[in-house]
C-alpha cells in the first residue's frame, strides 16, 4: 500500500493515530489526534513527543508503556487518564523496528458511565449493609446464596468465605427444611413467598426470623431477593401472652375446683396437684399451723414419715416472706435430703390477713432455681388457697354451729 493510501486510511478512521520513530519524533499524526490535542499536523512532524508534551513524561503511565513497547518490541493495551484535558484514552501501542504506532480512542464517556455504575453499586452495597435485617439473593437451581449483607455475617457468626460455601438450608432449623423447599418453589412460581423459621448460627443458637422474598429477573436468570427481620421480641411477647392466658385459665380452674370442694382436705389435694402439674415439683407438701403454731403436714405426695416429722419440727411458723429457696447440703438437722432424692427445695407461706396459716413446700430431684414467673404463680396459688381454707373453715364452723343450735332448739 502506498503512503498516500495509508494516510487516507488513517485520516478516515475515527480513532486517533500517531507514529513515532526510535527517537520519539512524530512521523505521522492524524486529524483525530489533532482534534483531541488541539494541535496542527504540520506543526508536529519531526518534533519529539516529550518536548511537545512534557506533561506526558511526567505522567508515568504514558511514558512507562510507550517505552516498554519500544524496548521490548511488545504490544501493550492500556486505559490511561490524560489529566490536562480531563479525558480517558484507550491506548493500543504497537512496536516496530523503527519505532511505535499508537491508536487512541476517547473512552471518557465509558469511564464516566463505569464510575457512575461503581458509585451506584457502592451506594447499593451501603444501603443493603445498613438494612436492619438480613438481605439475601438466591438464584434458581443453585444451592447457596448469590448475595447477602453484612447483617447475615454478624448474626450467623460465619465469615463471607464460609457463607459462600454453604447451602441455603444450612442456615435454618433442620425441622423447617421441607417448608423451605416449598417456599422457594412458591417464590419462583408465584413471584413472592414468606415464612417464619429459626436462623441457626455457627455456634448452634437459634434465632427466630420472619422472611419475605420476591422474584426478579437479572439478565434472563430468575432470582429471589428478600429480607428477614429478627422476631425474637415478638416471639417472647407471644410466649408471655400465652403464659398469661394459661395462668388465668389455671387460676380460674383452680378457683372453680376449690369453690366446689365440700371438705378442706379436698382443697389441700387440689392445691397439691396444681403445684405438681404447673411448677413441675417432684414432691409437694401442704402444711397448716395449729393453734400452738405447730406445723401439721395435711397433704403430700411420697414424703417419708421421717422427713415429714423433720418438716413439722423445723417449720418457719412466723414467716410471711414468699419464695424462700435453697439447695440443701447432704445432711441438715439429721435428715438426709439426698436419701429422699431431694436436690433443691422451696418454702412458700400461706398467708391470710397478714398472718401465716401454713406452708407450701416444694421439692425437686435435680438442682433447680425457680423463675420469677414460677414464684409469682406459686404466690398467687398460695393466696387463693389460704383464702379458700379460711373461708371453708368459717363455712364449716357456721354449719357446725347451726347444727348445734338446731339440736339444742329441737331438744
Amino acid at each position: 500500500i502506498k503512503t498516500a493510501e495509508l494516510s487516507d486510511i488513517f485520516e478516515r478512521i475515527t480513532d486517533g493515530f500517531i507514529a513515532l520513530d526510535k527517537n520519539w519524533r512524530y512521523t505521522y499524526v492524524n486529524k483525530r489526534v489533532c482534534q483531541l490535542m488541539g494541535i496542527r499536523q504540520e506543526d508536529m512532524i519531526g518534533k519529539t513527543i516529550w518536548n511537545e508534551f512534557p506533561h506526558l513524561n511526567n505522567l508515568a503511565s504514558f511514558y512507562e508503556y510507550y517505552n516498554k513497547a519500544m524496548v521490548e518490541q511488545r504490544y501493550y493495551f492500556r486505559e490511561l487518564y490524560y489529566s490536562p484535558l480531563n479525558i480517558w484514552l484507550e491506548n493500543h501501542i504497537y512496536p516496530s523496528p523503527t519505532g511505535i504506532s499508537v491508536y487512541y480512542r476517547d473512552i471518557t464517556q465509558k469511564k464516566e458511565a463505569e464510575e457512575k455504575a461503581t458509585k451506584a453499586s457502592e451506594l447499593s452495597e451501603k444501603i443493603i449493609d445498613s438494612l436492619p435485617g438480613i438481605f439475601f439473593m438466591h438464584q434458581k437451581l443453585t444451592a447457596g446464596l448469590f448475595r447477602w449483607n453484612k447483617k447475615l455475617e454478624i448474626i450467623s457468626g460465619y465469615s463471607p468465605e464460609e457463607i459462600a460455601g454453604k447451602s441455603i438450608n444450612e442456615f435454618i432449623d433442620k425441622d423447617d427444611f421441607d417448608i423451605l423447599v416449598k417456599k422457594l418453589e412458591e417464590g419462583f412460581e408465584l413471584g413472592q413467598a414468606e415464612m417464619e423459621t429459626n436462623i441457626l448460627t455457627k455456634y448452634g443458637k437459634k434465632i427466630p426470623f420472619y422472611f419475605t422474598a420476591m422474584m426478579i429477573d437479572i439478565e434472563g436468570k430468575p432470582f429471589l431477593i428478600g429480607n428477614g427481620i429478627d422476631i425474637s421480641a415478638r416471639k417472647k411477647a407471644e410466649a408471655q401472652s400465652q403464659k398469661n392466658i394459661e395462668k388465668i385459665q389455671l387460676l380460674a380452674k383452680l378457683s372453680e375446683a376449690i369453690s366446689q370442694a365440700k371438705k378442706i382436705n379436698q382443697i389441700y389435694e387440689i392445691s397439691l396437684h396444681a403445684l405438681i402439674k404447673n411448677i413441675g415439683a417432684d414432691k409437694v407438701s401442704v402444711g397448716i399451723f395449729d393453734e400452738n403454731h405447730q406445723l401439721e403436714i395435711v397433704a403430700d405426695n411420697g414424703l417419708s414419715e421421717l422427713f415429714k416429722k423433720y418438716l413439722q419440727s423445723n417449720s418457719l411458723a412466723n414467716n410471711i416472706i414468699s419464695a424462700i429457696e435453697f439447695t440443701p447440703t447432704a445432711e441438715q438437722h439429721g435428715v438426709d435430703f439426698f436419701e429422699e432424692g431431694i436436690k433443691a427445695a422451696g418454702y412458700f407461706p400461706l398467708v391470710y390477713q397478714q398472718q401465716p396459716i401454713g406452708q407450701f413446700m416444694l421439692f425437686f430431684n435435680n438442682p433447680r432455681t425457680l423463675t420469677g414467673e414460677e414464684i409469682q404463680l406459686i404466690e398467687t396459688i398460695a393466696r387463693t388457697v389460704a383464702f379458700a381454707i379460711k373461708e371453708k373453715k368459717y363455712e364449716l364452723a357456721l354449719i357446725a354451729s347451726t347444727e348445734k343450735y338446731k339440736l339444742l332448739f329441737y331438744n
Side-chain angles (χ1 to χ4, degrees):
I1 301 176
K2 297 179 181 179
T3 303
E5 292 175 345
L6 283 174
S7 296
D8 185 57
I9 292 172
F10 292 143
E11 294 305 325
R12 283 189 283 112
I13 63 175
T14 57
D15 295 338
F17 174 78
I18 65 170
L20 302 170
D21 66 16
K22 286 187 174 182
N23 296 313
W24 302 108
R25 290 178 299 200
Y26 286 103
T27 59
Y28 191 86
V29 181
N30 76 349
K31 290 180 180 179
R32 179 57 179 153
V33 172
C34 294
Q35 291 170 354
L36 282 173
M37 308 301 286
I39 56 177
R40 295 193 309 171
Q41 288 176 302
E42 58 269 25
D43 294 338
M44 303 308 295
I45 303 304
K47 294 183 178 180
T48 304
I49 185 173
W50 310 124
N51 292 335
E52 295 302 309
F53 300 100
H55 42 270
L56 278 179
N57 199 17
N58 295 328
L59 295 173
S61 51
F62 279 89
Y63 179 80
E64 177 185 357
Y65 290 104
Y66 284 17
N67 190 60
K68 277 186 175 183
M70 181 85 77
V71 173
E72 298 173 6
Q73 288 294 289
R74 174 184 167 190
Y75 163 76
Y76 277 96
F77 166 77
R78 284 294 181 271
E79 293 179 349
L80 303 174
Y81 178 63
Y82 185 59
S83 56
L85 295 180
N86 192 29
I87 60 174
W88 280 88
L89 295 173
E90 184 179 276
N91 291 256
H92 296 268
I93 312 165
Y94 296 92
S96 73
T98 59
I100 62 171
S101 299
V102 184
Y103 287 87
Y104 295 107
R105 178 174 295 163
D106 185 350
I107 57 169
T108 304
Q109 290 184 344
K110 171 192 168 186
K111 281 294 186 179
E112 288 175 348
E114 288 177 353
E115 185 179 2
K116 287 180 181 178
T118 300
K119 287 181 178 179
S121 176
E122 290 174 352
L123 178 60
S124 177
E125 294 282 329
K126 289 179 180 178
I127 291 173
I128 289 172
D129 282 335
S130 68
L131 292 173
I134 290 173
F135 171 86
F136 67 91
M137 286 183 66
H138 171 66
Q139 186 177 355
K140 191 175 183 179
L141 302 179
T142 62
L145 293 174
F146 180 80
R147 173 74 175 87
W148 60 88
N149 65 349
K150 191 71 176 177
K151 198 73 172 180
L152 178 60
E153 298 168 16
I154 294 170
I155 290 171
S156 70
Y158 290 110
S159 67
E161 294 75 21
E162 290 173 319
I163 293 175
K166 287 188 173 293
S167 170
I168 191 170
N169 61 8
E170 292 183 72
F171 296 101
I172 71 164
D173 195 330
K174 63 180 181 181
D175 295 335
D176 291 339
F177 282 0
D178 292 340
I179 298 174
L180 174 65
V181 172
K182 290 180 181 178
K183 290 298 180 180
L184 290 175
E185 292 175 352
E186 181 182 310
F188 285 114
E189 289 176 8
L190 303 180
Q192 58 184 15
E194 59 182 295
M195 74 176 291
E196 288 186 12
T197 187
N198 288 319
I199 285 288
L200 191 61
T201 73
K202 183 177 182 178
Y203 310 103
K205 183 180 178 181
K206 294 181 179 181
I207 306 173
F209 265 77
Y210 170 68
F211 287 97
T212 59
M214 63 180 292
M215 191 189 76
I216 62 169
D217 185 279
I218 301 177
E219 297 179 351
K221 297 177 182 179
F223 287 83
L224 279 180
I225 64 168
N227 72 298
I229 57 173
D230 188 336
I231 55 173
S232 299
R234 194 194 84 191
K235 286 292 185 181
K236 186 177 180 180
E238 288 175 353
Q240 183 60 52
S241 177
Q242 183 60 35
K243 285 182 180 179
N244 291 339
I245 292 171
E246 291 173 356
K247 179 180 176 181
I248 291 170
Q249 291 174 339
L250 164 66
L251 295 175
K253 289 179 181 179
L254 181 65
S255 297
E256 183 181 2
I258 287 174
S259 67
Q260 294 175 356
K262 302 298 182 183
K263 299 178 181 180
I264 290 182
N265 285 346
Q266 290 177 312
I267 297 176
Y268 300 152
E269 292 296 327
I270 290 169
S271 60
L272 192 78
H273 292 299
L275 293 170
I276 294 171
K277 180 180 178 181
N278 295 284
I279 304 301
D282 297 296
K283 295 178 182 179
V284 179
S285 67
V286 181
I288 299 297
F289 295 120
D290 61 19
E291 294 178 354
N292 297 317
H293 298 291
Q294 292 297 310
L295 186 72
E296 178 185 359
I297 304 298
V298 294
D300 73 276
N301 66 322
L303 295 178
S304 68
E305 290 301 320
L306 177 63
F307 195 65
K308 283 192 282 187
K309 286 181 180 179
Y310 162 75
L311 294 174
Q312 290 175 150
S313 61
N314 291 276
S315 65
L316 303 173
N318 297 316
N319 182 67
I320 61 170
I321 300 174
S322 300
I324 299 171
E325 297 178 80
F326 66 94
T327 301
T329 56
E331 284 193 15
Q332 285 192 354
H333 304 285
V335 177
D336 194 334
F337 274 66
F338 288 176
E339 219 173 81
E340 291 285 328
I342 295 170
K343 301 292 177 62
Y347 296 135
F348 296 83
L350 300 175
V351 180
Y352 180 78
Q353 295 183 350
Q354 299 298 311
Q355 294 298 318
I357 66 168
Q359 286 180 354
F360 281 156
M361 290 156 279
L362 286 72
F363 306 99
F364 302 90
N365 294 340
N366 295 300
R368 168 81 183 275
T369 299
L370 296 173
T371 66
E373 291 178 356
E374 288 174 325
I375 291 171
Q376 188 179 41
L377 180 58
I378 296 169
E379 290 174 342
T380 303
I381 294 173
R383 286 194 297 270
T384 303
V385 170
F387 179 80
I389 289 172
K390 276 302 198 179
E391 290 298 306
K392 183 59 68 175
K393 283 186 175 182
Y394 289 146
E395 179 187 332
L396 294 176
L398 181 60
I399 292 172
S401 177
T402 302
E403 292 297 324
K404 179 179 178 181
Y405 281 113
K406 281 183 180 179
L407 288 174
L408 289 174
F409 179 77
Y410 288 111
N411 290 331

